[in-house]
Amino acid sequence: MHHHSSSPLHSNTMTNYTFSPSSIASAAAGGFVSGRLHLVEHVQILELFLAVFVFVAIHAVRQGKRQGLAVWPVLGMAPSLVVGLQGDMYEYISGVVCRQNGTFWFRGPWLTSLNCVVTADPRNLEHLLKTKFSNFPKGPYFRDTVRDLLGDGIFNADDVTWQRQRKTASIEFHSAKFRRLTTESLLELVHARLLPVLEESLRASTAVDLQDVLLRLTFDNVCMIAFGVDPGCLRPGLPEIPFARAFEDATEATVLRFVTPTCVWKLMRLLDVGPERTLRKSIEGVDEFANQVIRTRKKELAAEDGCQRSDILTVFARLRDEEGKPFSDKFLRDICVNFILAGRDTSSVALSWFFWLLDNNPEVEERIVAELCKVVSDREGASGGSGGGEGLVFKPEEIKKMDYLQAAISEALRLYPSVPIDHKEVVEDDVFPDGTVLKKGTKVLYVIYAMGRMEAIWGKDCREFRPERWLRDGRFTSESAYKFTAFNGGPRLCLGKDFAYYQMKFAAASILYRYRVRVVEGHPVVPKLALTMYMKHGLKVNLFRRDESERRKCLLKYYG
Ligand code: HEM
């Protein structure tokens, strides 16, 4: 369409007319006439171009009404996606999926692999997560993209490889020994490391990035659970830890692959350039740390020295495969790296949104503080007031009793699910309960973020932060995993769910009992576009001491 502007005739005429000083007369006579002729030609072509554009645009927008997003020739829905990327992508997709009654087809540009079904319909979720579970694995596309980092670990595996890890890890996660490990490691981290860092910020009257602090807390915690080793990210001065840095870089570079055409990143990997070079180097960093821990642990176990340990590495290192052989170091590395990835950021990100929501909903915060004080005042032998001092440590059975806190955290996860979008691939032709026809190989995206904000699921007040919706007679009641999908559902339900709730409740209760957490005025809070819903700019907060008289006031207000 643009060939006219590069025609030699056209450019010569223009050159003569505009710049040649040699013949003004000829320019006035012949040049001027031909110039006008070309101008007319120009205008006609422009008009034609405009007419075609308007026609295509009307067609695209009309199709958009039916299909959710404008569909352009060749580019499909990609231009609409680019527009969406300028604002809040999650809100944008949620809007489309709601207008389309829960499901729509995303049409990618020709010759790309971006076509997929996008859904937020609980019936479809139950179908793909439970009823037809084996027809919706993670699939080869996902596996190829993340294999360099995750190998054959649980997050990246399907079928037998997944089943075997799931079974062993599930038994372990529900054992008393493991529970003890998680409660003890968390107690140590919160009281010896988290609270001192926060106290220091209060004393110095400086703002602190609460998201960063919480990310460090859960990173250390999950490493203790996976490896039995504490990397020490959460310490005064918030030092940079090479293993944590390598892990983060490796995850980011892996995520980048999802938005790069496969042939491009594969070529970059071959040439060892750009983000692929970063990825290779950071994976080396991860492996160096992992391999050293694995070697040491194997020696310990051979010397029967590590019997008391109950971390994931020790459990799997003791096992034997079908042929009676121990697992390879590489497989042990994959198992641990996957657990770290799964349990690293999700709880801390959820807590960050939770504290931000509390800052905007002071009455919810008061109710939580009242509940904490009630639990403390119910302690045997406690008398008067809320019964605790600054050194108070919540006990596991007390954490369990905090129904309102559990409701408030669930409500934060409903509105800001740590994993906002997830995906599956179709093995055999199938049909969703809502009638969507699925061909073998189709990719399915389910928008967990949108599901938390649908009137059809949560009612008219779906956008309000209202923990009460989770309570029946003051007791926390869980929702169907196919409506509240923050932890996934069916056989691949989050393995760390109970632990995550314990961890979030323990950390939140320990902080709220001592401090008022106030977000710094004007601090921008927006989600980052990534596989995990981080706050893009972190969460800068100031801390203020919550003293006994304030706690007592909350207790009296709600419990008389
Ligand atoms: C608020 C906190 C958390 C949320 C919202 C969350 C959410 C999820 C989701 C959505 C999945 C499914 C991912 C997928 O299959 O694509 C998942 C899987 C998993 N989560 Fe969590 N998670 C949380 C905390 C944790 C923690 C603390 C751990 C471990 C210590 C953990 C361990 C796992 C594991 C091992 C899987 C894989 C299960 C499987 O594939 O069979 N999670 N989680």
Side-chain angles (χ1 to χ4, degrees), residues 171-468:
I171 293 171
E172 172 64 10
F173 265 63
H174 293 106
S175 74
K177 210 169 165 190
F178 182 79
R179 263 204 198 125
R180 210 167 41 244
L181 167 73
T182 53
T183 48
E184 280 167 10
S185 61
L186 192 58
L187 191 142
E188 158 82 14
L189 274 173
V190 166
H191 284 272
R193 308 257 287 279
L194 172 70
L195 294 177
V197 164
L198 298 184
E199 190 62 29
E200 181 49 36
S201 144
L202 181 136
R203 216 174 292 142
S205 300
T206 47
V208 60
D209 179 356
L210 188 62
Q211 179 176 259
D212 180 39
V213 169
L214 292 169
L215 284 168
R216 288 165 181 271
L217 171 82
T218 52
F219 189 80
D220 286 349
N221 201 191
V222 78
C223 285
M224 287 156 115
I225 287 162
F227 278 136
V229 169
D230 174 5
C233 295
L234 179 59
R235 264 187 292 152
L238 307 178
E240 181 163 304
I241 303 294
F243 175 58
R245 172 90 264 152
F247 206 93
E248 185 159 345
D249 291 348
T251 321
E252 273 191 7
T254 300
V255 170
L256 216 57
R257 284 183 175 177
F258 284 101
V259 288
T260 313
T262 308
C263 55
V264 174
W265 70 252
K266 285 200 168 160
L267 185 67
M268 286 203 279
R269 180 174 64 178
L270 195 74
L271 301 174
D272 194 31
V273 292
E276 286 299 317
R277 187 181 171 80
T278 315
L279 181 60
R280 180 183 58 76
K281 288 190 160 170
S282 42
I283 289 178
E284 277 172 15
V286 170
D287 289 354
E288 197 182 314
F289 181 86
N291 292 335
Q292 193 245 323
V293 178
I294 292 168
R295 270 197 307 271
T296 318
R297 185 63 39 79
K298 279 196 156 171
K299 270 190 211 142
E300 258 181 45
L301 288 173
E304 282 298 317
D305 218 11
C307 303
Q308 292 313 308
R309 292 181 175 273
S310 54
D311 52 84
I312 300 284
L313 172 60
T314 303
V315 169
F316 277 90
R318 282 208 188 103
L319 288 181
R320 298 288 174 266
D321 65 12
E322 308 84 68
E323 293 160 21
K325 286 200 286 227
F327 293 131
S328 68
D329 286 6
K330 165 74 170 80
F331 189 48
L332 291 174
R333 173 258 178 225
D334 290 351
I335 291 169
C336 295
V337 165
N338 277 258
F339 271 92
I340 293 174
L341 185 83
R344 178 178 79 119
D345 292 349
T346 34
S347 318
S348 35
V349 164
L351 275 180
S352 302
W353 290 104
F354 165 81
F355 277 108
W356 175 69
L357 284 163
L358 284 196
D359 196 37
N360 291 298
N361 295 271
E363 68 296 346
V364 175
E365 179 171 338
E366 277 186 358
R367 284 213 69 136
I368 294 173
V369 174
E371 183 177 71
L372 304 182
C373 297
K374 177 79 173 74
V375 161
V376 174
S377 72
D378 285 350
R379 279 184 175 184
E380 245 184 333
S383 57
S386 63
E390 295 312 315
L392 175 118
V393 177
F394 288 109
K395 298 174 189 156
E397 61 277 16
E398 290 173 342
I399 297 292
K400 224 172 142 187
K401 280 198 269 174
M402 298 172 184
D403 286 272
Y404 192 83
L405 178 57
Q406 174 125 359
I409 289 174
S410 305
E411 186 67 348
L413 273 166
R414 177 180 74 84
L415 290 167
Y416 296 95
S418 314
V419 182
I421 297 184
D422 212 336
H423 115 289
K424 299 282 180 193
E425 205 167 308
V426 184
V427 177
E428 293 296 338
D429 294 1
D430 203 339
V431 182
F432 267 156
D434 74 352
T436 308
V437 175
L438 305 163
K439 287 267 165 257
K440 173 184 170 153
T442 306
K443 294 189 197 83
V444 179
L445 292 184
Y446 48 108
V447 197
I448 299 170
Y449 180 89
M451 296 190 74
R453 289 155 188 260
M454 287 172 90
E455 253 186 67
I457 302 179
W458 304 98
K460 278 251 177 295
D461 63 356
C462 59
R463 282 178 176 266
E464 280 168 41
F465 178 65
R466 215 173 56 78
E468 287 73 15

Side-chain angles (χ1 to χ4, degrees), residues 21-291:
S22 62
S23 172
I24 297 169
S26 95
F32 186 69
V33 172
S34 80
R36 283 193 57 154
L37 266 176
H38 275 283
L39 198 67
V40 171
E41 209 175 83
H42 217 119
V43 169
Q44 278 176 349
I45 288 168
L46 207 75
E47 272 182 354
L48 192 71
F49 183 75
L50 211 72
V52 170
F53 177 78
V54 169
F55 177 77
V56 171
I58 290 175
H59 183 69
V61 171
R62 254 206 204 138
Q63 279 208 320
K65 285 230 168 78
R66 232 171 1 100
Q67 304 200 25
L69 286 173
V71 190
W72 300 88
V74 184
L75 297 174
M77 292 176 173
S80 314
L81 200 67
V82 173
V83 172
L85 282 172
Q86 309 307 311
D88 186 333
M89 185 68 182
Y90 301 120
E91 277 299 317
Y92 185 74
I93 295 185
S94 301
V96 179
V97 99
C98 285
R99 281 198 300 281
Q100 295 305 110
N101 291 326
T103 305
F104 76 100
W105 266 95
F106 180 80
R107 318 246 167 221
W110 288 1
L111 304 177
T112 67
S113 51
L114 286 174
N115 282 346
C116 56
V117 169
V118 182
T119 189
D121 184 326
R123 295 171 298 169
N124 296 349
L125 264 286
E126 181 160 4
H127 182 86
L128 75 90
L129 290 177
K130 187 176 79 174
T131 323
K132 297 290 274 305
F133 172 71
S134 53
N135 201 30
F136 296 89
K138 298 230 168 173
Y141 169 73
F142 183 83
R143 202 158 28 252
D144 269 4
T145 314
V146 304
R147 180 174 281 129
D148 287 330
L149 175 61
L150 296 183
D152 292 321
I154 188 166
F155 230 63
N156 194 25
D158 287 318
D159 308 319
V160 199
T161 320
W162 166 76
Q163 225 160 22
R164 202 169 50 186
Q165 290 178 62
R166 174 92 195 182
K167 205 170 147 200
T168 307
S170 182
I171 293 171
E172 172 64 10
F173 265 63
H174 293 106
S175 74
K177 210 169 165 190
F178 182 79
R179 263 204 198 125
R180 210 167 41 244
L181 167 73
T182 53
T183 48
E184 280 167 10
S185 61
L186 192 58
L187 191 142
E188 158 82 14
L189 274 173
V190 166
H191 284 272
R193 308 257 287 279
L194 172 70
L195 294 177
V197 164
L198 298 184
E199 190 62 29
E200 181 49 36
S201 144
L202 181 136
R203 216 174 292 142
S205 300
T206 47
V208 60
D209 179 356
L210 188 62
Q211 179 176 259
D212 180 39
V213 169
L214 292 169
L215 284 168
R216 288 165 181 271
L217 171 82
T218 52
F219 189 80
D220 286 349
N221 201 191
V222 78
C223 285
M224 287 156 115
I225 287 162
F227 278 136
V229 169
D230 174 5
C233 295
L234 179 59
R235 264 187 292 152
L238 307 178
E240 181 163 304
I241 303 294
F243 175 58
R245 172 90 264 152
F247 206 93
E248 185 159 345
D249 291 348
T251 321
E252 273 191 7
T254 300
V255 170
L256 216 57
R257 284 183 175 177
F258 284 101
V259 288
T260 313
T262 308
C263 55
V264 174
W265 70 252
K266 285 200 168 160
L267 185 67
M268 286 203 279
R269 180 174 64 178
L270 195 74
L271 301 174
D272 194 31
V273 292
E276 286 299 317
R277 187 181 171 80
T278 315
L279 181 60
R280 180 183 58 76
K281 288 190 160 170
S282 42
I283 289 178
E284 277 172 15
V286 170
D287 289 354
E288 197 182 314
F289 181 86
N291 292 335

